[in-house]
């Protein structure tokens, strides 16, 4: 409950800050982020003083005092008087008294002066804002109301699944990179847990040389879109002609939605239609360092979000017994042609028709695209490192997942009205009997059109997939075509190893179900075994193996004809053997 409260508080903080600065911007035209290099605003300007280190969770103590702190850094060439400046979040305001910072000097702000007085220049105040562990919005403004710096940190910024739980600070990597937020922060690697009052241990000259990326498009009204970028953009608003929507809709206006300068609002000349897939592309969009948008991240598919009904979204994969290098995850799949916004949806346990252990997925706008996938976990970075094939855009963090026991349990998807959209009861016995240790092996849905609680519709993820497929097509997914393809094919049927075109052959397989165990071998024309390609390997529904024309001894196979011997068997003892020929040639 504490984590949920923190999440809600963080969201409230963001709403407060956006509202505050939107209102103030009309009353005070100076309240616009502006580089002090381009324009002087009073005594100081945008990013002259920056947030350089944050310590939101001091427990358990590693080496730093058990009190939160915020560290400021003067990155300007001038000494700056901070008298009357304010640090804000949604719940509190701390006003800084008479104190100056020389160029390159640090200031520690904390609620406990005595704890940090030996670390350098320190200012203690009873009004010091309480920093939420999971994330918060912090605003630094000058005495005359000029916005100097702002950040919306989350525990994803740690990029470390263990250290984010307390005792370690968040440090800025390169103070001169003014555009990047999440990418420019990381957990401290100092043995004490942080570097209060001195240069950050993670300091590295990593200038921003990459253009921005369009990472999300949300239809917030029938004729308005919200474009989210991965970093701050140039303060110059892109022209309407820089944005193109297909099917064609005229762009009426482009403007910034937030003072963070990473969200654009696009006003359309006509409403977008339900059940229509649109594409949007942007050009001539620059980050605040002057880099133009990356072409491969300049387009996005979007649609008008529609309400989901039971059967539209299902649980598609579960990892409930994770290995040491990953964590639990639940994957959901949109089986409809709708764009579905899962904001304020939850995951839960489902026992005797009652939801328990309800855990919010997200309070932000996240669109599940038609027939799309989304894997939900408590540690996105850990999951991506464990499964390199997982698409980063299809993995999101939730503050908590409902309890997922290793032996058996339940999982349910709950919409914003509290309605159960889908639920699954799983047990470890649903795994293949050939899985010796189910730790780190997910259960995958095989047929999308069959009820989630038919046990035979779930199978262990294949070995070749890495035993899990978070965010993309299940290794056991079966499309149910009316005329199944040939079970095993060889392509090409003749090849020249090492120096030919092609120089290997693919042994492709496609079965009516996943979970088969395969032994695949190569024999010469005299019946002698020359190469083992698969030995008791658990297969998915379809995939491919490879033979490079080599032997068990690592030598090149002689020119001639060979036989691919492909044996599969299932848990019921059914055995099937398929034989295919292939020719090894030589160059002339």
């Amino acid at each position: 409950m504490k984590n949920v409260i923190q999440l809600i508080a963080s969201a409230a903080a963001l709403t407060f800050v956006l509202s505050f600065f939107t209102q103030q911007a009309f009353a005070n035209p100076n309240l616009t982020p502006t580089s002090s290099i381009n324009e002087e605003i009073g005594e100081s300007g945008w990013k002259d003083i920056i947030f350089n280190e944050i310590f939101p969770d001091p427990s358990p103590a590693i080496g730093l005092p058990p009190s939160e702190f915020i560290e400021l850094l003067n990155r300007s060439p001038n000494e700056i008087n901070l008298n009357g400046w304010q640090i804000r979040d949604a719940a509190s305001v701390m006003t800084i008294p008479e104190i100056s910072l020389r160029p390159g000097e640090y200031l520690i702000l904390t609620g406990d002066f005595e704890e940090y007085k030996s670390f350098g220049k320190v200012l203690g105040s009873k009004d010091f804002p309480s920093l939420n562990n999971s994330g918060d919005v912090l605003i630094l403004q000058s005495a005359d109301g000029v916005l100097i710096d702002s950040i919306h940190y989350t525990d994803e910024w740690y990029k470390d699944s263990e250290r984010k739980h307390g005792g370690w600070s968040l440090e800025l990597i390169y103070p001169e990179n003014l555009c990047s937020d999440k990418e420019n922060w990381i957990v401290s690697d100092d043995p004490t847990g942080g570097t209060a009052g001195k240069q950050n241990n993670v300091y590295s000259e990593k200038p921003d040389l990459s253009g921005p990326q369009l990472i999300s498009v949300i239809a917030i009204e029938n004729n308005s879109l919200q474009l989210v970028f991965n970093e701050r953009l140039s303060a110059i608003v892109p022209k309407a002609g820089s944005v193109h929507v297909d099917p064609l809709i005229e762009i009426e206006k482009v403007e910034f939605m937030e003072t963070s300068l990473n969200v654009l609002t696009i006003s359309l000349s006509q409403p977008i239609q339900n059940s229509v897939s649109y594409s949007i592309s942007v050009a001539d969009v620059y980050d605040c360092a002057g880099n133009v948008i990356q072409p491969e991240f300049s387009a996005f598919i979007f649609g008008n979000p529609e309400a989901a009904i039971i059967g539209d979204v299902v649980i598609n994969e579960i990892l409930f017994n994770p290995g040491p290098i990953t964590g639990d995850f639940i994957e959901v799949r949109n089986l409809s042609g709708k764009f579905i916004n899962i904001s304020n949806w939850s995951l839960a346990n489902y026992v005797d028709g009652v939801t328990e252990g309800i855990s919010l997925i997200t309070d932000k706008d996240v669109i599940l695209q038609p027939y799309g996938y989304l894997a939900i976990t408590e540690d996105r970075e850990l999951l991506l490192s464990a499964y390199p094939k997982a698409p980063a855009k299809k993995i999101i963090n939730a503050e908590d997942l409902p309890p997922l026991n290793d032996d058996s349990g339940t999982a349910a998807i709950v919409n914003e009205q509290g309605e159960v959209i889908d639920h699954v009861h799983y047990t470890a016995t649903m795994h293949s009997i050939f899985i010796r240790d189910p730790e780190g092996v997910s259960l995958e849905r095989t047929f999308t059109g069959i009820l989630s609680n038919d046990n035979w519709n779930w199978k262990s993820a294949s070995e070749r997939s890495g035993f899990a497929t978070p965010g993309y097509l299940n290794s056991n997914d079966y499309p149910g075509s009316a005329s199944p393809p040939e079970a095993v094919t060889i392509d090409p049927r003749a090849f020249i190893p090492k120096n030919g075109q092609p120089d290997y052959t693919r042994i492709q397989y496609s079965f009516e179900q996943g979970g088969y165990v395969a032994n695949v071998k190569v024999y010469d024309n005299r019946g002698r075994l020359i190469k083992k390609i698969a030995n008791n390997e658990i297969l998915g529904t379809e995939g491919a193996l490879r033979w490079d024309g080599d032997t068990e001894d690592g030598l090149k196979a002689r020119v001639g004809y060979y036989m691919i011997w492909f044996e599969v068997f299932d848990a019921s003892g059914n055995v099937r053997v398929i034989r295919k020929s292939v020719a090894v040639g030589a160059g002339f």
Side-chain angles (χ1 to χ4, degrees), residues 35-250:
S35 170
S36 60
I37 296 174
N38 299 321
E39 181 179 350
E40 194 71 22
I41 305 178
E43 187 178 50
S44 57
W46 172 247
K47 291 283 188 178
D48 278 355
I49 304 289
I50 60 173
F51 294 108
N52 192 59
E53 188 172 359
I54 312 166
F55 192 41
D57 189 0
S59 177
I62 304 299
L64 291 171
S67 299
E68 298 175 353
F69 74 81
I70 296 170
E71 179 189 80
L72 301 180
L73 167 64
N74 182 357
R75 55 169 293 276
S76 81
N78 307 311
E79 183 171 351
I80 297 177
N81 189 336
L82 304 184
N83 184 36
W85 286 36
Q86 293 182 334
I87 300 282
R88 289 177 170 268
D89 68 1
S92 58
V93 178
M94 173 183 172
T95 301
I96 300 175
E98 182 75 33
I99 193 169
S100 294
L101 277 186
R102 298 187 302 274
E105 191 173 19
Y106 303 91
L107 174 63
I108 302 168
L109 304 175
T110 180
D112 194 329
F113 172 82
E114 293 297 324
E115 294 277 10
Y116 284 100
K117 66 181 181 181
S118 63
F119 285 76
K121 181 172 284 190
V122 181
L123 178 62
S125 171
K126 62 180 178 57
D127 296 324
F128 180 79
S130 177
L131 306 178
N132 296 330
N133 296 348
S134 59
D136 210 342
V137 178
L138 297 175
I139 298 294
L140 175 65
Q141 66 179 92
S142 66
D144 54 354
V146 174
L147 177 62
I148 304 298
D149 196 10
S150 65
I151 58 171
H152 180 196
Y153 72 86
T154 74
D155 57 10
E156 288 186 50
W157 288 20
Y158 286 92
K159 305 176 182 70
D160 188 301
S161 59
E162 296 297 327
R163 296 184 180 187
K164 75 175 185 178
H165 293 300
W168 301 85
S169 73
L170 278 170
E171 294 186 346
L172 189 69
I173 298 173
Y174 188 41
E176 299 306 313
N177 184 346
L178 304 183
C179 302
S180 300
D181 286 323
K182 176 183 176 182
E183 294 79 6
N184 201 30
W185 287 81
I186 198 169
V187 66
S188 175
D189 61 4
D190 190 270
T192 65
T195 53
K198 60 182 181 180
Q199 186 182 75
N200 291 343
N201 228 37
V202 301
Y203 174 88
S204 177
E205 293 189 8
K206 293 184 177 180
D208 185 0
L209 303 177
S210 299
Q213 301 176 6
L214 176 60
I215 60 173
S216 176
V217 176
I218 307 292
I220 52 178
E221 296 175 2
N222 281 343
N223 59 349
S224 184
L225 304 176
Q226 176 182 295
L227 277 60
V228 182
F229 296 83
N230 70 323
E231 60 178 339
R232 299 174 192 266
L233 303 181
S234 164
I236 300 174
V237 178
K239 297 179 180 179
S242 300
V243 182
H244 178 77
V245 174
D246 186 29
L248 183 62
I249 300 179
E250 184 180 348

